Amino acid sequence: MTASGEAARRPPARRPTIKDIARRAGVSESAVSFALNGRPGVSDRTRTRIRRVAQELGWQANSAARALSGDRADCIGLVLARPARTLGVESFFLQLVSGIQEVFSAHRTALLLQVVPDLAAECALYRRWWAERRVDGVLVVNPRTEDPRPRLLGSLGLPAVVVGGLATPGPDSAPPPLPTVWADDAKAMARILDHLHGLGHRRIVHVAGLPELAHTARRIRSLRSEAARRGLDTRQVRSVTTDYSDAEGAEATRRLLDTAEPPTAIIYDNDVMAVAGASVAAERGIPVPRGLSIVAWDDSPLCRVTHPRLTALVRDTAAFGRLAAQELRAVLDGGPVRAVQGELPHLEERESTGAP
Amino acid sequence: MTASGEAARRPPARRPTIKDIARRAGVSESAVSFALNGRPGVSDRTRTRIRRVAQELGWQANSAARALSGDRADCIGLVLARPARTLGVESFFLQLVSGIQEVFSAHRTALLLQVVPDLAAECALYRRWWAERRVDGVLVVNPRTEDPRPRLLGSLGLPAVVVGGLATPGPDSAPPPLPTVWADDAKAMARILDHLHGLGHRRIVHVAGLPELAHTARRIRSLRSEAARRGLDTRQVRSVTTDYSDAEGAEATRRLLDTAEPPTAIIYDNDVMAVAGASVAAERGIPVPRGLSIVAWDDSPLCRVTHPRLTALVRDTAAFGRLAAQELRAVLDGGPVRAVQGELPHLEERESTGAP
DNA sequence: GGTACTCACTAAACCGCATTAGTAGCGGCA
DNA sequence: TGCCGCTACTAATGCGGTTTAGTGAGTACC
């Protein structure tokens, strides 16, 4: 159903160019360019006058023209390769984007965001952006254990920063390392185990996310080594993987609770699964934390609205986004390839964890 | 803490231009342009040959050059004016963005996303994008009851589509109407009231979102008129407003339950507040739905992980995004200013609603 | 056989800016 | 007086496309 209206399109105001400024200030276009870009070649008096005229006209450089002559796009890209199904359950991405923006908007650099169905589409998009010179660089999220992206971006020469840990290179020879910002999942996992082990838990299961993601692998590895270090039985302290959805989180919980020796504590890799797990416990009449302790990896309002409230690993995701953005800026400025570590998350102990 | 590495920057492959294609195909640059854009002026034989060469070289038009000469940016913008605090609690935006992308990526048009703190910053950004010719058009979200954006965008001549209902014009004279895609909140509210009233509820409160948003006003108005139509007491069927956060949702619920005649049903304007409300009921030992029925406006995994699961108004947000994107495309193609209606949401009846 | 017309293509201008290569004017200095 | 070097500018070129204005060859027509 539509209601038509008049197009009523008044001719839009013409956007001023440096030519307009030049004419109005009585100087050449080059003088204007020098003046506005802080280049030498004009007197202070003239520079001030030109700047005032530009201000009056509300001039802003045409981004296309600037990109064409300057060989920059003043734009960076972020691709989200995700099945639509799991999109937007977590607050993670908007927070991250928000942090990224904070840094780049200060540099008049825009953020191109694209959601694609899978990794192949993501790679194709990088190729296109590169060929089109759409972006000056990209932020790569969700690094995988076998990741084709570092190799591709390296060969294209498209500056990139990997967000969330080092992507493990693919099988064929050594790809160029990409600059990275990462969180210390090992220490975070150790922190959680300290907490649970200290409370007396010996049967602890980690309901992890997608197995192909690098950070999932890191967390699983870390759980195993931390368990070993504490002399815990690795059949009773282990990880299972899911697709991050509430459905699989609940399903995994049911399966775990149905075993002969069910875990006394479960660590969920995101907030949604943790809440789903708590819900399964409630459905079975298992008291939390007495019958089952629950930890959520990543805090959110969700963790605070359940009963009991969920103990959660709190990260400042926006800060992580800022860090990633700063690193990409540094790389664009010709900085070295580095691996920068984000701040260590802390465990917010709430009522969902206690002695078994 | 950082670990340095070698810059190891191999000289990136040079990106091919039409000049390269022209040289290799033995024709002029104009011929290449004609051939690749489907313009007349080259024979079919030559056209095919040029296309093959372009393919071989992996050529893609430099977006800046095309934007400069074609006076388009092949890019649309979306600004999110939100305090960082309330960012990303709802799944709404990523879903919307995902739908928008689907349409625009098919047209090789990119999406520029920016998060800003407030409306003033949003307006400033529109001005800048316009002056910089960064975008061909924008999608305006969260229309307000008194909204400066239609007037601004109209005066700039920056094509725009308002997502989520007609923005009520500001006080000073009539601003140009903007094309819109909207959801019928009135019918949706009527549907919810049908359900609750049919179950026997007479004291129904609507915990709404931010009062300055146009859709909040529409829902409040609609609740009032629907209540009147059914002869319900408007002191017992009413709305209260919040900032959408779990905290205010919980707080509002507490206040409501503390009154002499507490509501027997509450309608929450988002999923997070609904879950928070359910949590407050649990904390007070009020059984849901026997002691309190709960409806969430917008479904999400959250509504399915609580106990009992929440009755929710289900909208296909990605589809709404697609619709908005299609409308903006139409406007960019010179279509008329219209108000297009999205599909009517449906009420998913779950266990959180029942007879009082 | 000359003119008109079409076809397939090339040359050149242009989009708005950055940058490089001049150039005019002037003071200093031998 | 002539030359140098500096300042403050202007002219011209290029970025990579699109588009307009030619241009030469071939064909149709009288």
Side-chain angles (χ1 to χ4, degrees):
Chain A
M1 193 199 309
T2 68
S4 283
E6 289 307 308
R9 216 163 281 146
R10 97 172 62 166
R14 216 176 63 75
R15 280 166 276 212
T17 70
I18 50 169
K19 195 176 288 177
D20 298 314
I21 301 176
R23 191 166 26 232
R24 205 145 140 173
V27 294
S28 69
E29 295 174 42
S30 340
V32 175
S33 180
F34 293 151
L36 295 174
N37 291 302
R39 292 258 129 72
V42 282
S43 64
D44 283 351
R45 254 180 58 79
T46 312
R47 187 183 301 272
T48 314
R49 183 161 46 93
I50 290 175
R51 287 219 168 118
R52 209 189 44 238
V53 173
Q55 180 100 37
E56 279 168 21
L57 293 176
W59 178 88
Q60 298 274 43
N62 177 323
S63 59
R66 189 164 260 180
L68 188 55
S69 68
D71 215 19
R72 293 157 308 119
D74 281 333
C75 197
I76 62 142
L78 176 62
V79 184
L80 223 48
R82 283 209 125 179
R85 185 171 42 83
T86 63
L87 245 185
V89 237
E90 303 157 76
S91 54
F92 187 80
F93 280 104
L94 272 185
Q95 299 274 6
L96 189 74
V97 164
S98 162
I100 293 168
Q101 298 273 288
E102 249 176 78
V103 173
F104 278 105
S105 68
H107 290 265
R108 318 212 115 206
T109 299
L111 175 71
L112 223 51
L113 178 74
Q114 186 126 1
V115 183
V116 298
D118 54 40
L119 205 58
E122 178 172 346
C123 289
L125 191 54
Y126 287 147
R127 285 182 187 283
R128 214 178 82 198
W129 278 353
W130 172 80
E132 292 181 344
R133 292 165 175 74
R134 271 269 189 198
V135 298
D136 296 325
V138 297
L139 288 166
V140 176
V141 296
N142 287 333
R144 311 212 171 186
T145 51
E146 298 215 341
D147 204 316
R149 292 171 293 178
R151 165 178 306 281
L152 170 64
L153 293 167
S155 75
L156 292 178
L158 185 60
V161 167
V162 177
V163 179
L166 293 150
T168 315
D172 36 328
S173 88
L178 246 39
T180 304
V181 295
W182 61 293
D184 194 336
D185 288 310
K187 278 219 186 73
M189 185 60 97
R191 177 75 189 80
I192 294 174
L193 273 194
D194 276 344
H195 177 58
L196 294 175
H197 190 238
L199 286 169
H201 293 275
R202 297 298 177 266
R203 299 201 301 275
I204 303 169
V205 176
H206 168 216
V207 174
L210 292 165
E212 61 267 33
L213 295 183
H215 77 256
T216 301
R218 276 202 311 274
R219 292 178 191 178
I220 290 175
R221 221 168 25 238
S222 168
L223 176 75
R224 200 175 300 140
S225 71
E226 286 297 324
R229 209 163 62 74
R230 289 175 172 78
L232 295 170
D233 185 344
T234 56
R235 274 163 314 182
Q236 304 203 317
V237 178
R238 60 201 173 88
S239 301
V240 298
T241 61
T242 67
D243 68 354
Y244 280 120
S245 70
D246 59 311
E248 290 206 6
E251 181 51 30
T253 307
R254 284 194 196 94
R255 267 204 314 275
L256 290 170
L257 296 178
D258 282 341
T259 55
E261 287 195 315
T264 59
I266 303 184
I267 303 164
Y268 292 90
D269 253 4
N270 71 6
D271 48 357
V272 172
M273 290 197 297
V275 174
S279 168
V280 168
E283 159 194 312
R284 303 239 167 151
I286 298 173
V288 172
R290 195 71 51 90
L292 179 69
S293 282
I294 291 178
V295 176
W297 196 302
D298 265 354
D299 194 22
S300 83
L302 297 194
C303 298
R304 274 163 273 142
V305 298
T306 57
H307 264 282
R309 299 177 313 153
L310 303 185
T311 292
L313 195 76
V314 181
R315 306 189 275 179
D316 187 343
T317 305
F320 202 58
R322 284 194 293 275
L323 191 66
Q326 277 155 2
E327 191 55 22
L328 182 51
R329 280 238 30 95
V331 169
L332 292 175
D333 288 345
V337 173
R338 314 186 296 172
V340 180
Q341 189 176 351
E343 63 185 47
L344 200 63
H346 85 273
L347 191 66
E348 180 80 21
E349 300 179 13
R350 301 203 181 94
E351 299 83 41
S352 71
T353 47
Chain B
M1 194 199 311
T2 68
S4 283
E6 288 309 304
R9 215 162 281 144
R10 97 170 66 166
R14 219 177 61 77
R15 281 166 276 212
T17 70
I18 49 168
K19 195 176 289 179
D20 299 315
I21 301 175
R23 190 167 26 232
R24 204 146 140 172
V27 293
S28 70
E29 295 172 42
S30 341
V32 175
S33 180
F34 293 149
L36 295 174
N37 291 301
R39 293 256 131 72
V42 282
S43 64
D44 284 350
R45 254 181 57 80
T46 312
R47 188 184 300 274
T48 316
R49 184 160 45 95
I50 290 174
R51 287 218 168 119
R52 209 191 42 240
V53 172
Q55 179 100 37
E56 279 169 18
L57 293 177
W59 179 88
Q60 298 274 43
N62 177 323
S63 58
R66 190 165 260 177
L68 188 55
S69 66
D71 216 19
R72 292 156 309 117
D74 283 334
C75 196
I76 62 144
L78 175 62
V79 184
L80 222 49
R82 284 209 123 183
R85 185 171 41 84
T86 62
L87 246 183
V89 235
E90 303 156 76
S91 55
F92 186 80
F93 280 105
L94 271 186
Q95 299 275 4
L96 189 75
V97 164
S98 162
I100 292 167
Q101 297 273 285
E102 249 178 79
V103 173
F104 277 105
S105 69
H107 289 265
R108 319 211 114 207
T109 299
L111 175 71
L112 222 51
L113 178 74
Q114 186 126 3
V115 183
V116 298
D118 54 41
L119 204 57
E122 178 173 348
C123 289
L125 191 54
Y126 287 148
R127 286 183 187 282
R128 214 179 81 198
W129 277 353
W130 171 79
E132 291 182 346
R133 294 164 173 76
R134 269 270 189 198
V135 298
D136 297 325
V138 297
L139 288 166
V140 176
V141 295
N142 286 331
R144 310 214 171 183
T145 50
E146 298 212 343
D147 205 318
R149 292 171 292 179
R151 164 180 306 282
L152 170 64
L153 292 167
S155 75
L156 292 177
L158 185 59
V161 167
V162 177
V163 179
L166 293 150
T168 316
D172 35 330
S173 87
L178 245 40
T180 304
V181 295
W182 61 293
D184 194 338
D185 288 309
K187 277 220 187 73
M189 184 59 97
R191 176 76 188 79
I192 294 174
L193 273 194
D194 276 345
H195 177 58
L196 294 176
H197 190 237
L199 287 169
H201 292 274
R202 297 298 176 267
R203 298 201 302 275
I204 303 169
V205 176
H206 168 216
V207 174
L210 292 165
E212 60 267 32
L213 296 183
H215 76 256
T216 300
R218 277 203 310 275
R219 291 178 192 178
I220 291 176
R221 223 169 24 239
S222 168
L223 176 75
R224 202 175 297 139
S225 71
E226 287 295 325
R229 208 165 62 74
R230 289 173 173 81
L232 294 170
D233 185 341
T234 55
R235 275 163 313 184
Q236 302 204 319
V237 178
R238 61 202 173 85
S239 302
V240 297
T241 61
T242 68
D243 67 353
Y244 280 120
S245 71
D246 61 310
E248 290 207 7
E251 181 51 31
T253 308
R254 283 194 197 95
R255 268 203 314 275
L256 290 170
L257 295 178
D258 281 342
T259 55
E261 289 196 314
T264 61
I266 302 183
I267 304 164
Y268 293 90
D269 253 6
N270 73 5
D271 48 356
V272 172
M273 289 197 297
V275 174
S279 168
V280 168
E283 156 194 312
R284 303 237 167 155
I286 299 173
V288 172
R290 194 71 51 88
L292 180 68
S293 281
I294 291 178
V295 176
W297 195 301
D298 265 354
D299 194 22
S300 83
L302 297 195
C303 298
R304 273 164 274 144
V305 298
T306 57
H307 265 282
R309 300 179 311 153
L310 304 186
T311 292
L313 195 75
V314 181
R315 308 191 274 180
D316 186 344
T317 305
F320 202 58
R322 283 195 293 273
L323 190 67
Q326 277 155 1
E327 191 55 21
L328 182 51
R329 280 238 33 96
V331 169
L332 292 175
D333 288 344
V337 172
R338 314 187 295 173
V340 180
Q341 188 175 352
E343 62 185 47
L344 201 64
H346 87 272
L347 191 68
E348 180 79 21
E349 299 179 14
R350 303 205 181 94
E351 299 83 38
S352 70
T353 47

